[in-house]
Amino acid sequence: MSDDVQPSVAEVRAAVAAVKAALDRHLEAIENRIGDDDPAVYEAFEALASAAESYDELLYDTYDEVTPFEVPSGEAMPEYSGPADPEAFSVLIRRDYTVAEPDRLFAQARRAGDGESAADASVSAAIGVVFGEYEPDEVAQRHKEFGLEEGDSTLWVAAVEPAEPGEWLDAPFDEVDPQLVLCRFDTSAVFDDEVGALDAD
């Protein structure tokens, strides 16, 4: 929402009242559920999600604050169908960054590479030097020092068959089956580092 069309305090209060009413309707639909796939429960859920999202947006636009809950997207993970007691599992992590301050990135790359000029060749070369020297978790913790801005991130823990050393290194991300994801943790700047988990149960 642009700065010249700011929501009023009354609009924010009306939005929170809508969330409260949607919560009541959602609980009522659950209490009066008819079968596992009662459309009334689904409709109440969607109405609650919409009301919560609207309130969150108005709250942010008016007070620069966010709510502590995340509205789930429509593209939910499929139900876990792997073994109850997996013999092995993989941890898959994606973290997105924007290069906000290239000069900081180059400076860190020069320090990591003992002043080697290759670190100044390009942003991609500097990134290679930095990640060759620092663990990804350290980069995540110190990203501002590296001139980076955090984007969204996700971590999946997926059941797998035990693998021989080096067996899958040529194509490590080609066979990720969402139905084998034991749990998942998402972090998004949209929700101010709110973390959501999808457990296998």
Side-chain angles (χ1 to χ4, degrees):
M1 190 171 291
S2 63
D3 292 337
D4 57 339
V5 188
Q6 288 294 313
S8 67
V9 172
E11 287 177 296
V12 179
R13 289 193 170 276
V16 77
V19 172
K20 294 174 183 177
L23 279 167
D24 288 336
R25 287 195 298 273
H26 184 245
L27 178 58
E28 183 180 357
I30 291 171
E31 290 174 336
N32 297 292
R33 181 199 306 267
I34 302 173
D36 292 338
D37 298 320
D38 189 343
V41 174
Y42 175 78
E43 290 169 8
F45 174 90
E46 289 295 309
L48 176 56
S50 177
E53 188 172 12
S54 295
Y55 171 59
D56 192 88
E57 290 176 359
L58 288 168
L59 190 70
Y60 183 80
D61 289 338
T62 307
Y63 299 107
D64 199 26
E65 294 287 346
V66 294
T67 58
F69 46 83
E70 181 174 346
V71 177
S73 67
E75 297 181 3
M77 292 286 288
E79 186 175 347
Y80 177 73
S81 63
D85 300 305
E87 295 182 60
F89 63 90
S90 287
V91 178
L92 302 105
I93 302 173
R94 171 175 172 169
R95 296 180 176 131
D96 282 5
Y97 297 97
T98 300
V99 180
E101 299 178 73
D103 289 344
R104 279 182 176 267
L105 178 64
F106 287 129
Q108 286 287 359
R110 282 193 296 273
R111 282 193 283 274
D114 294 326
E116 292 180 11
S117 59
D120 289 320
S122 65
V123 169
S124 58
I127 291 170
V129 171
V130 165
F131 278 90
E133 179 68 20
Y134 300 99
E135 292 290 330
D137 286 345
E138 185 174 1
V139 175
Q141 291 170 358
R142 300 173 54 193
H143 63 276
K144 290 184 179 178
E145 296 177 41
F146 292 85
L148 305 176
E149 183 177 315
E150 281 186 312
D152 292 347
S153 68
T154 188
L155 182 153
W156 292 16
V157 182
V160 296
E161 292 293 326
E164 294 295 327
E167 184 177 14
W168 48 257
L169 289 178
D170 57 337
F173 306 113
D174 282 359
E175 297 182 6
V176 181
D177 185 349
Q179 289 187 302
L180 297 180
V181 173
L182 294 158
C183 54
R184 169 180 172 174
F185 301 89
D186 295 324
T187 303
S188 175
V190 173
F191 298 101
D192 207 21
D193 294 335
E194 177 72 12
V195 177
L198 298 176
D199 294 325
D201 294 336

